[in-house]
Amino acid sequence: MEWREAGAGDPVLFVHGFPFHSAMWGPQLSAMPPGWRGIAPDLRGFGASEGPPESVTSMDAFADDLARLLDHLRIEQAVVCGLSMGGYVALALWRRHRDRIRAFVLCDTRAGGDSPEAAEARRRLAERVLAEGPAAVADGMLPRLLSPNTARRSPGTVEFVRAMMMETRALTMSRALLGMAERPDSEAMLPEIDVRTLVIVGDEDVITSRGQADMLARGIRPATLAVIEGAGHLPNLEQPAEFNQLLSEFLVGLPSEARVA
Ligand code: MLT
C-alpha cells in the first residue's frame, strides 16, 4: 500500500472517494494545522497501491487494509476523514476496528446501502468499464461531481478530477463498484458511534444529498453538520480554504479522550 503524508503530530487518516486516489487530498495535506500529521493512502488497486486480486473489493477489505496500515505506522488511533466511498470505508472501519478511530470527518457520504436498482446499475457499470475502459465511468460521473460554479470558475479542477479518474485501472473500478453494490446498510449502526464527528456536505452535491448528510448528523449523537456553499461532491477540492478551516477548527477543538461519555 502506498500513501502520501505531511505534517507531524496526531494522525488524520484521509480516505479517498471513488474512483480517485490520494492526490485528491493535496489541498489538505499542504495545510495541516501545527501538531497534526495527515496520512492519505491509495486504497487497494487505486493510485500507486497494488491489487485488487479478489473478484469484489469490499468496503471491509479496504477497512482491514487501513487497520494494517495503522499497525505498520505504529498508530493506535487516528481521526478518520472519508469522502463518499471513503465514508463507506470509514463506516466499515467502525464496524471492524472501532478502537482505532479517535474521531470522524464524514464528507459527502451516506450511511444507507444501495437500493436494488442502484446496485444493479453498479453491476452493469462494473461490466461496462471492463469492456470500455475508465472513460465509461469518468464520462458519466464528471458532469455530476462538481458544482456548476466550480466547472465555470476552475477548469483546472475539472481537468485534475478527470485525470485522476482516467488514471484508475478499469479492473480496480470494476471490483470497487461491485464492492459498493454489496455494502451493508449502516443506518442502524449510527447510534453506536460515540466519537466526535463532523459531517460535511457541498450544498450543490447531486451524488450524496444534503438530506443524506442530515441523516448522518442526526444519527450520530456527537455529530455536527457543516454545509459548504458553492461546492458539489468534492468540497475539499472545490472550496479548499473553507474545507480546511472547518477541518482545522474541528481538529484543534478535539479533546484527547476519543469517546463521548
Ligand atoms: C464516490 O465519490 O466515492 C462515489 O460517488 C461513491 C458512490 O458512487 O456511491
Side-chain angles (χ1 to χ4, degrees), residues 15-20 24 83-88 107-110 112 114 122 125 141 144-145 176-177 180-181 183 205 207-208 233-234:
V15 191
H16 63 78
F18 172 89
F20 310 120
M24 69 164 275
L83 185 139
S84 200
M85 184 182 79
Y88 310 157
C107 317
D108 301 80
T109 191
R110 59 168 91 90
D114 280 0
R122 282 207 211 266
L125 187 56
M141 276 187 87
R144 307 180 68 233
L145 281 168
L177 283 163
M180 285 193 281
R183 75 187 190 283
D205 187 346
I207 297 181
T208 44
H233 192 55
L234 301 173

PDB file of all heavy atoms in Angstrom, residues 15-20 24 83-88 107-110 112 114 122 125 141 144-145 176-177 180-181 183 205 207-208 233-234, ligand 1:
ATOM      1  N   VAL A  15      -9.292   9.258   3.622  1.00  0.00           N
ATOM      2  CA  VAL A  15      -9.686   8.108   2.780  1.00  0.00           C
ATOM      3  C   VAL A  15     -10.419   8.639   1.544  1.00  0.00           C
ATOM      4  O   VAL A  15     -11.487   9.267   1.654  1.00  0.00           O
ATOM      5  CB  VAL A  15     -10.589   7.134   3.568  1.00  0.00           C
ATOM      6  CG1 VAL A  15     -10.756   5.846   2.779  1.00  0.00           C
ATOM      7  CG2 VAL A  15     -10.003   6.850   4.956  1.00  0.00           C
ATOM      8  N   HIS A  16      -9.842   8.362   0.389  1.00  0.00           N
ATOM      9  CA  HIS A  16     -10.359   8.969  -0.847  1.00  0.00           C
ATOM     10  C   HIS A  16     -11.655   8.315  -1.335  1.00  0.00           C
ATOM     11  O   HIS A  16     -12.012   7.207  -0.939  1.00  0.00           O
ATOM     12  CB  HIS A  16      -9.292   8.923  -1.962  1.00  0.00           C
ATOM     13  CG  HIS A  16      -8.880   7.548  -2.388  1.00  0.00           C
ATOM     14  ND1 HIS A  16      -9.638   6.762  -3.222  1.00  0.00           N
ATOM     15  CD2 HIS A  16      -7.761   6.815  -2.113  1.00  0.00           C
ATOM     16  CE1 HIS A  16      -9.005   5.624  -3.451  1.00  0.00           C
ATOM     17  NE2 HIS A  16      -7.873   5.618  -2.775  1.00  0.00           N
ATOM     18  N   GLY A  17     -12.338   9.031  -2.222  1.00  0.00           N
ATOM     19  CA  GLY A  17     -13.570   8.526  -2.828  1.00  0.00           C
ATOM     20  C   GLY A  17     -13.284   7.736  -4.099  1.00  0.00           C
ATOM     21  O   GLY A  17     -12.125   7.529  -4.495  1.00  0.00           O
ATOM     22  N   PHE A  18     -14.346   7.327  -4.759  1.00  0.00           N
ATOM     23  CA  PHE A  18     -14.299   6.521  -5.978  1.00  0.00           C
ATOM     24  C   PHE A  18     -14.535   7.422  -7.182  1.00  0.00           C
ATOM     25  O   PHE A  18     -15.513   8.202  -7.150  1.00  0.00           O
ATOM     26  CB  PHE A  18     -15.386   5.450  -5.924  1.00  0.00           C
ATOM     27  CG  PHE A  18     -15.558   4.691  -7.218  1.00  0.00           C
ATOM     28  CD1 PHE A  18     -14.816   3.542  -7.455  1.00  0.00           C
ATOM     29  CD2 PHE A  18     -16.433   5.141  -8.198  1.00  0.00           C
ATOM     30  CE1 PHE A  18     -14.975   2.845  -8.642  1.00  0.00           C
ATOM     31  CE2 PHE A  18     -16.577   4.437  -9.391  1.00  0.00           C
ATOM     32  CZ  PHE A  18     -15.853   3.298  -9.606  1.00  0.00           C
ATOM     33  N   PRO A  19     -13.755   7.291  -8.217  1.00  0.00           N
ATOM     34  CA  PRO A  19     -12.587   6.436  -8.431  1.00  0.00           C
ATOM     35  C   PRO A  19     -11.326   7.292  -8.445  1.00  0.00           C
ATOM     36  O   PRO A  19     -10.669   7.424  -9.469  1.00  0.00           O
ATOM     37  CB  PRO A  19     -12.841   5.853  -9.820  1.00  0.00           C
ATOM     38  CG  PRO A  19     -13.580   6.972 -10.550  1.00  0.00           C
ATOM     39  CD  PRO A  19     -14.209   7.876  -9.514  1.00  0.00           C
ATOM     40  N   PHE A  20     -10.991   7.806  -7.275  1.00  0.00           N
ATOM     41  CA  PHE A  20      -9.885   8.758  -7.185  1.00  0.00           C
ATOM     42  C   PHE A  20      -8.678   8.088  -6.522  1.00  0.00           C
ATOM     43  O   PHE A  20      -8.606   6.869  -6.432  1.00  0.00           O
ATOM     44  CB  PHE A  20     -10.343   9.997  -6.400  1.00  0.00           C
ATOM     45  CG  PHE A  20     -11.649  10.550  -6.908  1.00  0.00           C
ATOM     46  CD1 PHE A  20     -12.763  10.642  -6.082  1.00  0.00           C
ATOM     47  CD2 PHE A  20     -11.777  10.943  -8.234  1.00  0.00           C
ATOM     48  CE1 PHE A  20     -13.968  11.133  -6.554  1.00  0.00           C
ATOM     49  CE2 PHE A  20     -12.982  11.434  -8.718  1.00  0.00           C
ATOM     50  CZ  PHE A  20     -14.088  11.524  -7.869  1.00  0.00           C
ATOM     51  N   MET A  24      -6.273  13.465  -4.272  1.00  0.00           N
ATOM     52  CA  MET A  24      -7.434  14.340  -4.040  1.00  0.00           C
ATOM     53  C   MET A  24      -7.331  15.093  -2.707  1.00  0.00           C
ATOM     54  O   MET A  24      -8.024  16.060  -2.475  1.00  0.00           O
ATOM     55  CB  MET A  24      -8.762  13.575  -4.112  1.00  0.00           C
ATOM     56  CG  MET A  24      -9.020  12.601  -2.987  1.00  0.00           C
ATOM     57  SD  MET A  24     -10.764  12.099  -2.894  1.00  0.00           S
ATOM     58  CE  MET A  24     -11.437  13.436  -1.912  1.00  0.00           C
ATOM     59  N   LEU A  83     -14.279  10.612   2.324  1.00  0.00           N
ATOM     60  CA  LEU A  83     -15.210  11.292   1.419  1.00  0.00           C
ATOM     61  C   LEU A  83     -15.896  10.247   0.538  1.00  0.00           C
ATOM     62  O   LEU A  83     -15.221   9.434  -0.117  1.00  0.00           O
ATOM     63  CB  LEU A  83     -14.472  12.315   0.566  1.00  0.00           C
ATOM     64  CG  LEU A  83     -15.362  13.164  -0.339  1.00  0.00           C
ATOM     65  CD1 LEU A  83     -14.907  14.621  -0.362  1.00  0.00           C
ATOM     66  CD2 LEU A  83     -15.428  12.617  -1.759  1.00  0.00           C
ATOM     67  N   SER A  84     -17.210  10.278   0.527  1.00  0.00           N
ATOM     68  CA  SER A  84     -18.042   9.427  -0.317  1.00  0.00           C
ATOM     69  C   SER A  84     -17.690   7.949  -0.126  1.00  0.00           C
ATOM     70  O   SER A  84     -17.914   7.430   0.962  1.00  0.00           O
ATOM     71  CB  SER A  84     -17.946   9.873  -1.768  1.00  0.00           C
ATOM     72  OG  SER A  84     -19.074   9.370  -2.442  1.00  0.00           O
ATOM     73  N   MET A  85     -17.095   7.256  -1.112  1.00  0.00           N
ATOM     74  CA  MET A  85     -16.728   5.861  -0.858  1.00  0.00           C
ATOM     75  C   MET A  85     -15.785   5.785   0.347  1.00  0.00           C
ATOM     76  O   MET A  85     -15.825   4.809   1.111  1.00  0.00           O
ATOM     77  CB  MET A  85     -16.077   5.221  -2.087  1.00  0.00           C
ATOM     78  CG  MET A  85     -15.766   3.745  -1.887  1.00  0.00           C
ATOM     79  SD  MET A  85     -14.937   2.967  -3.285  1.00  0.00           S
ATOM     80  CE  MET A  85     -13.255   3.517  -3.057  1.00  0.00           C
ATOM     81  N   GLY A  86     -14.972   6.824   0.521  1.00  0.00           N
ATOM     82  CA  GLY A  86     -14.097   6.868   1.707  1.00  0.00           C
ATOM     83  C   GLY A  86     -14.900   6.875   2.995  1.00  0.00           C
ATOM     84  O   GLY A  86     -14.454   6.365   4.024  1.00  0.00           O
ATOM     85  N   GLY A  87     -16.117   7.452   2.934  1.00  0.00           N
ATOM     86  CA  GLY A  87     -17.015   7.421   4.095  1.00  0.00           C
ATOM     87  C   GLY A  87     -17.580   6.019   4.305  1.00  0.00           C
ATOM     88  O   GLY A  87     -17.732   5.568   5.443  1.00  0.00           O
ATOM     89  N   TYR A  88     -17.885   5.310   3.199  1.00  0.00           N
ATOM     90  CA  TYR A  88     -18.370   3.923   3.351  1.00  0.00           C
ATOM     91  C   TYR A  88     -17.272   3.081   4.031  1.00  0.00           C
ATOM     92  O   TYR A  88     -17.550   2.230   4.876  1.00  0.00           O
ATOM     93  CB  TYR A  88     -18.711   3.260   2.007  1.00  0.00           C
ATOM     94  CG  TYR A  88     -19.594   4.029   1.054  1.00  0.00           C
ATOM     95  CD1 TYR A  88     -19.564   3.746  -0.312  1.00  0.00           C
ATOM     96  CD2 TYR A  88     -20.468   5.021   1.491  1.00  0.00           C
ATOM     97  CE1 TYR A  88     -20.367   4.422  -1.215  1.00  0.00           C
ATOM     98  CE2 TYR A  88     -21.270   5.711   0.595  1.00  0.00           C
ATOM     99  CZ  TYR A  88     -21.211   5.412  -0.760  1.00  0.00           C
ATOM    100  OH  TYR A  88     -21.994   6.089  -1.658  1.00  0.00           O
ATOM    101  N   CYS A 107     -17.509  13.155   4.797  1.00  0.00           N
ATOM    102  CA  CYS A 107     -17.779  14.182   3.785  1.00  0.00           C
ATOM    103  C   CYS A 107     -18.570  13.594   2.621  1.00  0.00           C
ATOM    104  O   CYS A 107     -18.168  12.558   2.062  1.00  0.00           O
ATOM    105  CB  CYS A 107     -16.489  14.723   3.201  1.00  0.00           C
ATOM    106  SG  CYS A 107     -15.201  15.028   4.403  1.00  0.00           S
ATOM    107  N   ASP A 108     -19.643  14.252   2.250  1.00  0.00           N
ATOM    108  CA  ASP A 108     -20.389  13.899   1.040  1.00  0.00           C
ATOM    109  C   ASP A 108     -20.534  12.385   0.924  1.00  0.00           C
ATOM    110  O   ASP A 108     -20.162  11.780  -0.089  1.00  0.00           O
ATOM    111  CB  ASP A 108     -19.690  14.513  -0.188  1.00  0.00           C
ATOM    112  CG  ASP A 108     -19.626  16.023  -0.044  1.00  0.00           C
ATOM    113  OD1 ASP A 108     -18.738  16.517   0.679  1.00  0.00           O
ATOM    114  OD2 ASP A 108     -20.505  16.710  -0.594  1.00  0.00           O
ATOM    115  N   THR A 109     -21.075  11.810   2.000  1.00  0.00           N
ATOM    116  CA  THR A 109     -21.235  10.360   2.028  1.00  0.00           C
ATOM    117  C   THR A 109     -22.579  10.024   2.644  1.00  0.00           C
ATOM    118  O   THR A 109     -23.355  10.923   2.983  1.00  0.00           O
ATOM    119  CB  THR A 109     -20.052   9.703   2.770  1.00  0.00           C
ATOM    120  OG1 THR A 109     -20.098   8.294   2.569  1.00  0.00           O
ATOM    121  CG2 THR A 109     -20.043  10.008   4.273  1.00  0.00           C
ATOM    122  N   ARG A 110     -22.878   8.754   2.776  1.00  0.00           N
ATOM    123  CA  ARG A 110     -24.182   8.342   3.309  1.00  0.00           C
ATOM    124  C   ARG A 110     -24.030   7.033   4.061  1.00  0.00           C
ATOM    125  O   ARG A 110     -23.098   6.270   3.810  1.00  0.00           O
ATOM    126  CB  ARG A 110     -25.184   8.176   2.172  1.00  0.00           C
ATOM    127  CG  ARG A 110     -24.760   7.166   1.137  1.00  0.00           C
ATOM    128  CD  ARG A 110     -25.902   6.821   0.200  1.00  0.00           C
ATOM    129  NE  ARG A 110     -25.958   7.653  -0.979  1.00  0.00           N
ATOM    130  CZ  ARG A 110     -25.354   7.404  -2.139  1.00  0.00           C
ATOM    131  NH1 ARG A 110     -24.628   6.301  -2.271  1.00  0.00           N
ATOM    132  NH2 ARG A 110     -25.460   8.211  -3.166  1.00  0.00           N
ATOM    133  N   GLY A 112     -26.744   4.823   4.247  1.00  0.00           N
ATOM    134  CA  GLY A 112     -27.610   3.815   3.619  1.00  0.00           C
ATOM    135  C   GLY A 112     -26.860   2.972   2.591  1.00  0.00           C
ATOM    136  O   GLY A 112     -25.866   3.420   2.015  1.00  0.00           O
ATOM    137  N   ASP A 114     -27.100   0.565  -1.076  1.00  0.00           N
ATOM    138  CA  ASP A 114     -27.709   0.808  -2.392  1.00  0.00           C
ATOM    139  C   ASP A 114     -29.106   0.184  -2.444  1.00  0.00           C
ATOM    140  O   ASP A 114     -29.326  -0.902  -1.899  1.00  0.00           O
ATOM    141  CB  ASP A 114     -26.868   0.147  -3.483  1.00  0.00           C
ATOM    142  CG  ASP A 114     -25.652   0.988  -3.866  1.00  0.00           C
ATOM    143  OD1 ASP A 114     -25.468   2.082  -3.285  1.00  0.00           O
ATOM    144  OD2 ASP A 114     -24.903   0.540  -4.744  1.00  0.00           O
ATOM    145  N   ARG A 122     -24.861  -0.402 -10.737  1.00  0.00           N
ATOM    146  CA  ARG A 122     -23.413  -0.503 -10.478  1.00  0.00           C
ATOM    147  C   ARG A 122     -22.842  -1.771 -11.112  1.00  0.00           C
ATOM    148  O   ARG A 122     -21.750  -1.761 -11.667  1.00  0.00           O
ATOM    149  CB  ARG A 122     -23.150  -0.553  -8.981  1.00  0.00           C
ATOM    150  CG  ARG A 122     -23.246   0.780  -8.287  1.00  0.00           C
ATOM    151  CD  ARG A 122     -22.365   0.721  -7.059  1.00  0.00           C
ATOM    152  NE  ARG A 122     -22.854   1.548  -5.982  1.00  0.00           N
ATOM    153  CZ  ARG A 122     -22.457   2.799  -5.763  1.00  0.00           C
ATOM    154  NH1 ARG A 122     -21.595   3.368  -6.568  1.00  0.00           N
ATOM    155  NH2 ARG A 122     -22.926   3.475  -4.731  1.00  0.00           N
ATOM    156  N   LEU A 125     -22.417  -1.245 -14.718  1.00  0.00           N
ATOM    157  CA  LEU A 125     -21.269  -0.366 -14.987  1.00  0.00           C
ATOM    158  C   LEU A 125     -19.957  -1.124 -14.759  1.00  0.00           C
ATOM    159  O   LEU A 125     -18.967  -0.914 -15.481  1.00  0.00           O
ATOM    160  CB  LEU A 125     -21.351   0.879 -14.085  1.00  0.00           C
ATOM    161  CG  LEU A 125     -20.338   1.990 -14.347  1.00  0.00           C
ATOM    162  CD1 LEU A 125     -20.380   2.478 -15.801  1.00  0.00           C
ATOM    163  CD2 LEU A 125     -20.580   3.175 -13.395  1.00  0.00           C
ATOM    164  N   MET A 141     -19.574  10.270 -14.684  1.00  0.00           N
ATOM    165  CA  MET A 141     -19.511  10.904 -13.354  1.00  0.00           C
ATOM    166  C   MET A 141     -19.128  12.376 -13.402  1.00  0.00           C
ATOM    167  O   MET A 141     -19.622  13.177 -12.614  1.00  0.00           O
ATOM    168  CB  MET A 141     -18.479  10.180 -12.463  1.00  0.00           C
ATOM    169  CG  MET A 141     -19.008   8.953 -11.766  1.00  0.00           C
ATOM    170  SD  MET A 141     -17.800   8.273 -10.591  1.00  0.00           S
ATOM    171  CE  MET A 141     -18.172   9.205  -9.100  1.00  0.00           C
ATOM    172  N   ARG A 144     -21.440  15.332 -12.914  1.00  0.00           N
ATOM    173  CA  ARG A 144     -22.223  15.345 -11.674  1.00  0.00           C
ATOM    174  C   ARG A 144     -21.356  15.605 -10.440  1.00  0.00           C
ATOM    175  O   ARG A 144     -21.871  15.799  -9.353  1.00  0.00           O
ATOM    176  CB  ARG A 144     -22.951  14.004 -11.522  1.00  0.00           C
ATOM    177  CG  ARG A 144     -23.780  13.648 -12.762  1.00  0.00           C
ATOM    178  CD  ARG A 144     -24.489  12.327 -12.622  1.00  0.00           C
ATOM    179  NE  ARG A 144     -25.525  12.391 -11.625  1.00  0.00           N
ATOM    180  CZ  ARG A 144     -25.645  11.555 -10.597  1.00  0.00           C
ATOM    181  NH1 ARG A 144     -24.796  10.577 -10.468  1.00  0.00           N
ATOM    182  NH2 ARG A 144     -26.614  11.696  -9.734  1.00  0.00           N
ATOM    183  N   LEU A 145     -20.028  15.583 -10.611  1.00  0.00           N
ATOM    184  CA  LEU A 145     -19.149  15.663  -9.436  1.00  0.00           C
ATOM    185  C   LEU A 145     -18.983  17.068  -8.888  1.00  0.00           C
ATOM    186  O   LEU A 145     -18.898  17.264  -7.686  1.00  0.00           O
ATOM    187  CB  LEU A 145     -17.756  15.115  -9.797  1.00  0.00           C
ATOM    188  CG  LEU A 145     -17.625  13.593  -9.823  1.00  0.00           C
ATOM    189  CD1 LEU A 145     -16.297  13.208 -10.467  1.00  0.00           C
ATOM    190  CD2 LEU A 145     -17.708  13.030  -8.413  1.00  0.00           C
ATOM    191  N   ALA A 176     -14.315  -2.333  -7.282  1.00  0.00           N
ATOM    192  CA  ALA A 176     -14.846  -1.440  -6.231  1.00  0.00           C
ATOM    193  C   ALA A 176     -16.333  -1.173  -6.452  1.00  0.00           C
ATOM    194  O   ALA A 176     -17.093  -1.052  -5.487  1.00  0.00           O
ATOM    195  CB  ALA A 176     -14.059  -0.136  -6.207  1.00  0.00           C
ATOM    196  N   LEU A 177     -16.773  -1.081  -7.705  1.00  0.00           N
ATOM    197  CA  LEU A 177     -18.208  -0.905  -7.974  1.00  0.00           C
ATOM    198  C   LEU A 177     -18.990  -2.086  -7.409  1.00  0.00           C
ATOM    199  O   LEU A 177     -20.039  -1.911  -6.775  1.00  0.00           O
ATOM    200  CB  LEU A 177     -18.455  -0.783  -9.487  1.00  0.00           C
ATOM    201  CG  LEU A 177     -18.112   0.576 -10.104  1.00  0.00           C
ATOM    202  CD1 LEU A 177     -17.998   0.464 -11.632  1.00  0.00           C
ATOM    203  CD2 LEU A 177     -19.173   1.625  -9.740  1.00  0.00           C
ATOM    204  N   MET A 180     -19.085  -1.709  -3.652  1.00  0.00           N
ATOM    205  CA  MET A 180     -20.056  -0.709  -3.167  1.00  0.00           C
ATOM    206  C   MET A 180     -21.471  -1.255  -3.286  1.00  0.00           C
ATOM    207  O   MET A 180     -22.316  -1.003  -2.412  1.00  0.00           O
ATOM    208  CB  MET A 180     -19.908   0.600  -3.943  1.00  0.00           C
ATOM    209  CG  MET A 180     -18.680   1.392  -3.528  1.00  0.00           C
ATOM    210  SD  MET A 180     -18.701   3.092  -4.176  1.00  0.00           S
ATOM    211  CE  MET A 180     -18.176   2.831  -5.862  1.00  0.00           C
ATOM    212  N   ALA A 181     -21.739  -2.008  -4.362  1.00  0.00           N
ATOM    213  CA  ALA A 181     -23.094  -2.544  -4.564  1.00  0.00           C
ATOM    214  C   ALA A 181     -23.500  -3.474  -3.432  1.00  0.00           C
ATOM    215  O   ALA A 181     -24.682  -3.552  -3.086  1.00  0.00           O
ATOM    216  CB  ALA A 181     -23.175  -3.268  -5.909  1.00  0.00           C
ATOM    217  N   ARG A 183     -22.311  -3.334  -0.260  1.00  0.00           N
ATOM    218  CA  ARG A 183     -22.007  -2.857   1.097  1.00  0.00           C
ATOM    219  C   ARG A 183     -23.282  -2.881   1.943  1.00  0.00           C
ATOM    220  O   ARG A 183     -24.382  -2.639   1.421  1.00  0.00           O
ATOM    221  CB  ARG A 183     -21.387  -1.451   1.073  1.00  0.00           C
ATOM    222  CG  ARG A 183     -22.361  -0.348   0.797  1.00  0.00           C
ATOM    223  CD  ARG A 183     -21.676   0.991   0.605  1.00  0.00           C
ATOM    224  NE  ARG A 183     -22.650   2.064   0.566  1.00  0.00           N
ATOM    225  CZ  ARG A 183     -23.422   2.368  -0.472  1.00  0.00           C
ATOM    226  NH1 ARG A 183     -23.352   1.666  -1.591  1.00  0.00           N
ATOM    227  NH2 ARG A 183     -24.286   3.359  -0.385  1.00  0.00           N
ATOM    228  N   ASP A 205     -24.156  19.245  -3.953  1.00  0.00           N
ATOM    229  CA  ASP A 205     -23.815  17.840  -4.215  1.00  0.00           C
ATOM    230  C   ASP A 205     -25.050  17.115  -4.739  1.00  0.00           C
ATOM    231  O   ASP A 205     -26.058  17.030  -4.038  1.00  0.00           O
ATOM    232  CB  ASP A 205     -23.317  17.185  -2.913  1.00  0.00           C
ATOM    233  CG  ASP A 205     -22.780  15.779  -3.148  1.00  0.00           C
ATOM    234  OD1 ASP A 205     -23.031  15.217  -4.227  1.00  0.00           O
ATOM    235  OD2 ASP A 205     -22.110  15.252  -2.246  1.00  0.00           O
ATOM    236  N   ILE A 207     -24.744  13.916  -5.877  1.00  0.00           N
ATOM    237  CA  ILE A 207     -24.478  12.477  -5.744  1.00  0.00           C
ATOM    238  C   ILE A 207     -24.867  12.002  -4.340  1.00  0.00           C
ATOM    239  O   ILE A 207     -25.537  10.987  -4.176  1.00  0.00           O
ATOM    240  CB  ILE A 207     -22.999  12.158  -6.070  1.00  0.00           C
ATOM    241  CG1 ILE A 207     -22.718  12.511  -7.538  1.00  0.00           C
ATOM    242  CG2 ILE A 207     -22.681  10.696  -5.789  1.00  0.00           C
ATOM    243  CD1 ILE A 207     -21.317  12.226  -8.015  1.00  0.00           C
ATOM    244  N   THR A 208     -24.421  12.725  -3.325  1.00  0.00           N
ATOM    245  CA  THR A 208     -24.908  12.449  -1.961  1.00  0.00           C
ATOM    246  C   THR A 208     -25.551  13.746  -1.466  1.00  0.00           C
ATOM    247  O   THR A 208     -24.887  14.767  -1.361  1.00  0.00           O
ATOM    248  CB  THR A 208     -23.763  12.016  -1.020  1.00  0.00           C
ATOM    249  OG1 THR A 208     -22.646  12.855  -1.238  1.00  0.00           O
ATOM    250  CG2 THR A 208     -23.366  10.580  -1.250  1.00  0.00           C
ATOM    251  N   HIS A 233     -19.805  17.570  -5.034  1.00  0.00           N
ATOM    252  CA  HIS A 233     -19.464  16.333  -4.329  1.00  0.00           C
ATOM    253  C   HIS A 233     -18.036  16.357  -3.763  1.00  0.00           C
ATOM    254  O   HIS A 233     -17.693  15.504  -2.964  1.00  0.00           O
ATOM    255  CB  HIS A 233     -19.634  15.179  -5.330  1.00  0.00           C
ATOM    256  CG  HIS A 233     -19.615  13.808  -4.741  1.00  0.00           C
ATOM    257  ND1 HIS A 233     -20.454  13.408  -3.730  1.00  0.00           N
ATOM    258  CD2 HIS A 233     -18.842  12.712  -5.030  1.00  0.00           C
ATOM    259  CE1 HIS A 233     -20.220  12.136  -3.433  1.00  0.00           C
ATOM    260  NE2 HIS A 233     -19.232  11.699  -4.200  1.00  0.00           N
ATOM    261  N   LEU A 234     -17.217  17.301  -4.204  1.00  0.00           N
ATOM    262  CA  LEU A 234     -15.807  17.295  -3.786  1.00  0.00           C
ATOM    263  C   LEU A 234     -15.425  18.641  -3.140  1.00  0.00           C
ATOM    264  O   LEU A 234     -14.555  19.363  -3.643  1.00  0.00           O
ATOM    265  CB  LEU A 234     -14.898  17.004  -5.002  1.00  0.00           C
ATOM    266  CG  LEU A 234     -15.155  15.673  -5.715  1.00  0.00           C
ATOM    267  CD1 LEU A 234     -14.326  15.544  -6.997  1.00  0.00           C
ATOM    268  CD2 LEU A 234     -14.823  14.489  -4.790  1.00  0.00           C
TER     269      LEU A 234
HETATM  270  C1  MLT B   1     -17.575   8.454  -4.585  1.00  0.00           C
HETATM  271  O1  MLT B   1     -17.359   9.648  -4.824  1.00  0.00           O
HETATM  272  O2  MLT B   1     -16.825   7.805  -3.836  1.00  0.00           O
HETATM  273  C2  MLT B   1     -18.753   7.787  -5.230  1.00  0.00           C
HETATM  274  O3  MLT B   1     -19.594   8.751  -5.788  1.00  0.00           O
HETATM  275  C3  MLT B   1     -19.495   6.923  -4.274  1.00  0.00           C
HETATM  276  C4  MLT B   1     -20.661   6.227  -4.882  1.00  0.00           C
HETATM  277  O4  MLT B   1     -20.698   6.038  -6.107  1.00  0.00           O
HETATM  278  O5  MLT B   1     -21.587   5.832  -4.140  1.00  0.00           O
END
